[in-house]
Amino acid sequence: MLTRCSHFVFSFLLVAAVALSGCAKRPATTQAAAPAPTGAATSTAAPPSSGTATAQPTTPGGGSGATTGGGTATPAPAATAPARPVPKDFAAVADLVDVFFDFDKYDIRPADAKTLDANAGWLKSNPNHLVLIEGHCDERGTNEYNLALGERRAKSTMNYLVSQGVQANRITIISYGEERPQCTEHTEACWAKNRRAHFLVKPR
Amino acid sequence: MSLRRLSSFVTLVVFVALAAPWTSRAQQQPPQPAPPQRSSQATDVWLNITGGGSRKLNIAVPEFTVVAGSDTGGMAKILAAVTGTDLNFSGLFSVVAGTGAIPPNNPAALAQSWNEFAAAGAHAGLHGLLALRSDRLEGEMRLYDLTTPEHRLIATKKFDAPLAQPRRLAHKIADEVVLQFTGEPGIADTKLAYVLGPLGAKEIVITDYDGVGPMPATRNGSINLTPVWSPDARSLAYTSYKQGYPDLYRMFPFERRPEQTLAAFVGINTSPSFSPDGKSVAMTLSMHGNPEIYVLTLATGTLQRLTRNAGIDTEPTWSPTGRELAFISDRGGSPNVYVMDNQGLGVRQLTSGGFHTQPRWSPKGDSLVYTSRGGVHDLWIVNVNGSNPRRLTSGTGDSQGATWAPNGRHIAFQSNRNGRWQIFAMLADGSAQDAITRGPGDATSPSWSPRLP
């Protein structure tokens, strides 16, 4: 918990006291400081056109609308904090083997626990590497649920590694839900390959 | 409503009832008088707007008449066609075929045209007057009752639209015609946002509600997911991996206004749903270790946690009153739809026994549509008290990811029944299913905008 908390604070530069108390006590209703959206966040709706309409102040569908991209993001606390490691800086290593899950499950199966024991051994032997655990799902189910399911798979995997002595502050997790399958056929054999936790590492 | 208009409406209603044997489906069943229904707007409603229905009002939409400017682009013909397509889509009207422009300021020619359309079965006539200005289009809608010998004028109204958006003029006219006959505006002047692209590179696209005129809303080469409109139809909340992790953003696609980062906490930041007043966004965050539902107050940045459960809680959707939210949870073993109040209390289970996700509360508040996974995914609808779950889609392929039109009469969704993912639309009773997107690529995760400002 202590490492989680410190990770949390480093990651987000939120109001430290609020973050720590939220992490330590887990109150029923967390009133945490969130990144305040910039700008007038509560712009009110213009009424739907009625009567003799005049020229529209906004032009939905017009070609001049600014498309969003990396360049227009407003500074916001969570976005500007150089907190989480960049996923693309991590690379696969042959010594860390994927583990797999049953449909709509996120518990570690006994055979996969042995795989994770070996993975934990490698990580403990290579203490200068950080690890990124990706949680993945097959295409069945729907994508928002699968984002949560992939998160739970990565989290279960992380918890197992921590229980085997890997430091939690070396581990970052990310869920891709059903968005990045490694097999794209619509068969159970293929789906089984996609219900996985995948490991990537980078030197500290 | 004036007495004169009222009498013409009554005439129309009676005529529609009498005319029922002429409509295709009514030929298979005895005609039944259509009882006028009242909407919540306390406006007189003369067409049954609750379902697919068999009785449609036949309306003539001849080519618009150009009253000013030079119509080099053939806009008078195009806009009449768009208006007619909008009226057909509504499910309330059947557009009577006919051609030929009506010359301006020629009552005799107009009367002759209406006589011909009436003889062809039209109950009403829509005459559009179009003025092409240097910077904008102006249109006047004139709606006639063709069941009266004198072709009584029911309503007139003027609209305009930027030159770059001529279709909006047609959409506004169509929505006004629907308003005149049902008491509630149509939904043609709305947009659809959806996700387009292969796995691993999904971008958000915005089109007219009918799939015409797609324009990119994101161009970041990352994975962009689940766009959701704000109640003022001016912004979209969505999840993007463009900073590496699934974070929540809010864009203003029609304005030169910077994007906002709504949530970029450790873990997932997904499933945005604007409260009906637009002041808050419900979302799923796992920053405390498990996917839970929170509400972000936009003005203050305050987060309130609503769920506290060891399982997965996600996909919040507000009731139209803002007093409750539906969401999905696997706390019972598999995902089902639950409802709680806006403080996270009073949790009740709405569906059971299945794999049920993607709840979307209807704009009228009386029901929720959701996705049920059997062998494939199909859309179901259930009353807000959990009673009468009924199936809306079946057959080949998956149908999922429903989104309501603002009038609650139409539902858009994604289906792969034709071999790739496309956006479809149907009436809320499951009838009239038809593809909206027909271009290349996989189109998923539609969000139907509120009526445009």
Side-chain angles (χ1 to χ4, degrees):
Chain A
M1 184 55 73
L2 193 62
T3 51
R4 260 180 49 79
C5 277
S6 62
H7 179 61
F8 188 71
V9 172
F10 283 140
S11 297
F12 301 108
L13 307 177
L14 295 176
V15 179
V18 176
L20 281 166
S21 67
C23 197
K25 292 174 67 180
R26 300 200 177 196
T29 298
T30 304
Q31 295 281 349
T38 55
T42 57
S43 60
T44 52
S49 77
S50 60
T52 301
T54 55
Q56 298 298 307
T58 60
T59 57
S64 64
T67 57
T68 57
T72 57
T74 326
T80 52
R84 299 167 295 186
V86 180
K88 67 184 181 200
D89 292 345
F90 289 78
V93 56
D95 300 277
L96 296 180
V97 179
D98 286 1
V99 291
F100 299 90
F101 297 85
D102 291 333
F103 175 73
D104 194 31
K105 300 295 185 202
Y106 38 84
D107 52 313
I108 305 295
R109 303 181 298 196
D112 293 290
K114 291 187 172 62
T115 302
L116 288 182
D117 290 340
N119 288 353
W122 186 91
L123 286 168
K124 285 186 282 187
S125 308
N126 294 271
N128 289 327
H129 281 82
L130 302 177
V131 61
L132 178 69
I133 304 174
E134 298 178 347
H136 295 273
C137 304
D138 67 32
E139 64 182 348
R140 297 173 300 166
T142 50
N143 62 355
E144 290 174 86
Y145 180 75
N146 280 338
L147 283 170
L149 185 60
E151 174 81 3
R152 290 299 305 252
R153 287 174 177 166
K155 186 75 177 179
S156 296
T157 305
M158 172 180 171
N159 288 345
Y160 188 92
L161 292 177
V162 170
S163 76
Q164 296 305 304
V166 180
Q167 287 180 306
N169 64 3
R170 293 175 61 195
I171 305 174
T172 304
I173 64 172
I174 184 170
S175 172
Y176 286 106
E178 62 183 85
E179 305 301 329
R180 284 192 171 175
Q182 63 174 348
C183 182
T184 55
E185 293 163 27
H186 310 294
T187 63
E188 172 53 33
C190 194
W191 293 327
K193 292 177 186 171
N194 291 333
R195 298 189 299 263
R196 75 195 200 279
H198 183 57
F199 302 89
L200 303 168
V201 296
K202 76 165 189 176
R204 280 188 204 256
Chain B
M1 185 175 287
S2 71
L3 194 61
R4 180 171 156 232
R5 274 180 69 197
L6 188 62
S7 68
S8 73
F9 273 111
V10 171
T11 304
L12 268 177
V13 169
V14 170
F15 192 88
V16 170
L18 292 174
W22 297 349
T23 63
S24 58
R25 200 179 304 183
Q27 287 171 347
Q28 299 154 15
Q29 60 190 35
Q32 303 159 358
Q37 299 210 349
R38 292 189 175 271
S39 77
S40 58
Q41 311 295 321
T43 309
D44 293 303
V45 174
W46 303 109
L47 286 171
N48 181 339
I49 62 167
T50 54
S54 61
R55 199 160 291 118
K56 296 181 181 180
L57 192 138
N58 296 337
I59 188 166
V61 189
E63 188 176 322
F64 289 2
T65 298
V66 177
V67 294
S70 173
D71 187 17
T72 53
M75 204 56 75
K77 194 168 190 170
I78 292 169
L79 294 187
V82 172
T83 305
T85 303
D86 289 344
L87 292 173
N88 276 331
F89 183 93
S90 76
L92 302 167
F93 298 90
S94 181
V95 174
V96 179
T99 55
I102 299 165
N105 302 317
N106 190 334
L110 183 65
Q112 176 62 27
S113 182
W114 289 150
N115 280 332
E116 290 169 8
F117 275 114
H123 309 133
L126 169 63
H127 187 207
L129 305 180
L130 183 63
L132 299 105
R133 310 295 183 190
S134 59
D135 58 337
R136 67 192 191 282
L137 293 171
E138 295 173 356
E140 180 177 349
M141 175 213 77
R142 294 182 180 176
L143 192 58
Y144 295 89
D145 175 0
L146 302 191
T147 68
T148 58
E150 72 276 24
H151 307 144
R152 183 170 301 169
L153 184 64
I154 298 171
T156 71
K157 194 169 246 179
K158 292 180 178 174
F159 301 93
D160 66 13
L163 274 183
Q165 303 171 48
R167 298 184 95 248
R168 286 201 69 194
L169 189 66
H171 293 331
K172 289 178 183 182
I173 289 173
D175 287 350
E176 177 66 23
V177 172
V178 173
L179 171 67
Q180 289 294 327
F181 286 108
T182 69
E184 182 175 351
I187 47 76
D189 195 25
T190 59
K191 298 282 186 183
L192 277 179
Y194 59 90
V195 172
L196 182 66
L199 286 165
K202 293 181 166 181
E203 301 283 4
I204 294 170
V205 170
I206 298 174
T207 68
D208 280 11
Y209 86 104
D210 54 4
V212 175
M215 81 166 200
T218 62
R219 281 194 194 115
N220 54 43
S222 184
I223 303 170
N224 301 281
L225 300 170
T226 60
V228 172
W229 291 97
S230 58
D232 63 5
R234 291 170 62 181
S235 67
L236 284 167
Y238 68 105
T239 292
S240 177
Y241 283 76
K242 63 185 177 179
Q243 301 290 338
Y245 293 89
D247 296 329
L248 268 178
Y249 303 90
R250 183 191 190 189
M251 73 165 92
F252 298 85
F254 310 126
E255 301 166 45
R256 296 195 175 280
R257 183 168 167 186
E259 182 166 85
Q260 299 170 347
T261 300
L262 295 181
F265 298 100
V266 73
I268 59 170
N269 303 262
T270 64
S271 299
S273 175
F274 281 90
S275 61
D277 64 8
K279 294 179 177 175
S280 304
V281 179
M283 59 183 64
T284 302
L285 307 174
S286 61
M287 63 171 166
H288 291 115
N290 191 46
E292 305 282 0
I293 293 166
Y294 295 75
V295 171
L296 172 69
T297 302
L298 291 168
T300 62
T302 307
L303 271 179
Q304 182 181 6
R305 180 170 171 176
L306 294 191
T307 60
R308 172 162 301 275
N309 188 279
I312 291 169
D313 297 313
T314 186
E315 295 201 86
T317 174
W318 293 84
S319 75
T321 65
R323 288 197 290 268
E324 291 181 302
L325 297 97
F327 63 103
I328 62 166
S329 178
D330 73 342
R331 60 187 65 182
S334 64
N336 275 295
V337 181
Y338 294 75
V339 173
M340 61 184 166
D341 71 23
N342 62 16
Q343 300 301 307
L345 302 174
V347 176
R348 60 188 168 94
Q349 187 168 352
L350 199 68
T351 70
S352 59
F355 190 110
H356 300 140
T357 60
Q358 301 184 315
R360 304 286 186 265
W361 214 303
S362 73
K364 304 293 187 198
D366 58 343
S367 59
L368 292 98
V369 64
Y370 60 96
T371 301
S372 179
R373 200 189 84 84
V376 294
H377 297 90
D378 274 301
L379 293 171
W380 287 62
I381 193 168
V382 64
N383 292 344
V384 72
N385 63 3
S387 67
N388 195 22
R390 52 215 186 267
R391 188 186 192 112
L392 296 180
T393 65
S394 60
T396 310
D398 301 272
S399 297
Q400 61 192 64
T403 178
W404 291 91
N407 64 356
R409 293 196 67 240
H410 308 268
I411 293 172
F413 59 99
Q414 66 181 74
S415 178
N416 59 3
R417 64 186 68 177
N418 294 334
R420 68 181 195 282
W421 288 108
Q422 292 173 281
I423 309 301
F424 278 67
M426 63 181 172
L427 290 169
D429 63 0
S431 65
Q433 298 182 21
D434 205 3
I436 289 179
T437 61
R438 300 178 186 279
D442 282 317
T444 58
S445 200
S447 177
W448 203 318
S449 84
R451 295 184 178 90
L452 295 176

